[in-house]
Amino acid sequence: MGVTKPTRMIWWEPRWSYFPREFREFRSVFRLRSWLRIVVVSAVVVVAIAVLANVLMPGLQFNWLGAFAISVAAIAGILLVFLVLSITIPPLVFITRSRFGWWWPPLLHEGFSYYKCSDLQSVTVTLRDDGKHYLRFRTKRFCKRIGLSPRVNLSQLLDLFGDQLVVRDRRRHSTETTR
């Protein structure tokens, strides 16, 4: 019997790989100064509407401050839940002979990225001393770096990508000298 080549590989991206990226993206999108400015401007608008509503409808009984505080707390809670989900649940990476991609389960369909291997310009595996090996996909439109799980067999990865795969060994080869 001949040796069969693998047809697909699937692994969860390691936490050391996706956590810093997700946290950095979250911090760049949700800057505290911007959100404080939005809350202050919204508070001014709410106060203006409350004053105008009380002048035009003096018998109106509505807790403007409570409603505003609840809406700000709800938005902050939703953002916090999204942050916790994005740094807790890892993306699922998959590679077949003809396609590659990744999927982030909490987003279900919207978190699904799938590309043809024919679109690849290069695939690079970087091997490091600390065991944090990376796989970098480069196309004309993007460059994506994904961490390799320790259970990923590098020879199977080489079989899947063939000549497209470039291996960069960044491990230090220590040479001890004895005196």
Side-chain angles (χ1 to χ4, degrees):
M1 283 194 347
V3 177
T4 60
K5 291 188 176 184
T7 58
R8 71 172 186 251
M9 293 180 74
I10 298 173
W11 72 89
W12 293 101
E13 187 174 3
R15 182 175 173 80
W16 54 261
S17 175
Y18 74 89
F19 178 85
R21 179 182 64 232
E22 294 295 330
F23 196 72
R24 188 174 46 249
E25 286 179 18
F26 189 83
R27 280 190 17 219
S28 71
V29 172
F30 299 106
R31 298 203 179 270
L32 184 60
R33 287 183 60 184
S34 299
W35 283 101
L36 287 175
R37 195 175 7 216
I38 290 169
V39 169
V40 167
V41 169
S42 299
V44 169
V45 170
V46 166
V47 167
I49 291 172
V51 168
L52 185 62
N54 285 335
V55 168
L56 296 177
M57 298 173 272
L60 180 66
Q61 293 182 1
F62 184 71
N63 186 359
W64 292 94
L65 181 62
F68 181 71
I70 288 172
S71 66
V72 170
I75 291 171
I78 290 169
L79 290 175
L80 184 64
V81 166
F82 186 73
L83 174 64
V84 168
L85 285 176
S86 68
I87 63 176
T88 305
I89 302 174
L92 181 69
V93 182
F94 52 90
I95 301 171
T96 66
R97 291 208 176 278
S98 60
R99 297 185 181 272
F100 68 97
W102 48 91
W103 177 57
W104 192 59
L107 285 180
L108 298 175
H109 180 68
E110 288 80 20
F112 193 72
S113 300
Y114 206 51
Y115 302 96
K116 294 179 182 177
C117 284
S118 59
D119 294 340
L120 283 172
Q121 289 181 335
S122 69
V123 181
T124 307
V125 173
T126 303
L127 304 174
R128 296 176 26 165
D129 275 337
D130 55 5
K132 296 178 180 179
H133 308 312
Y134 288 99
L135 185 64
R136 184 182 306 268
F137 299 105
R138 190 178 305 273
T139 68
K140 289 181 182 178
R141 294 186 302 144
F142 71 91
C143 180
K144 178 77 171 179
R145 188 175 84 166
I146 295 176
L148 284 176
S149 171
R151 67 179 189 89
V152 171
N153 187 340
L154 295 177
S155 63
Q156 287 181 346
L157 200 59
L158 184 61
D159 288 341
L160 276 174
F161 284 113
D163 293 337
Q164 278 186 315
L165 187 66
V166 176
V167 178
R168 290 196 176 131
D169 192 353
R170 299 288 189 240
R171 295 176 288 191
R172 291 190 180 125
H173 301 288
S174 63
T175 55
E176 291 185 12
T177 58
T178 56
R179 294 183 183 199

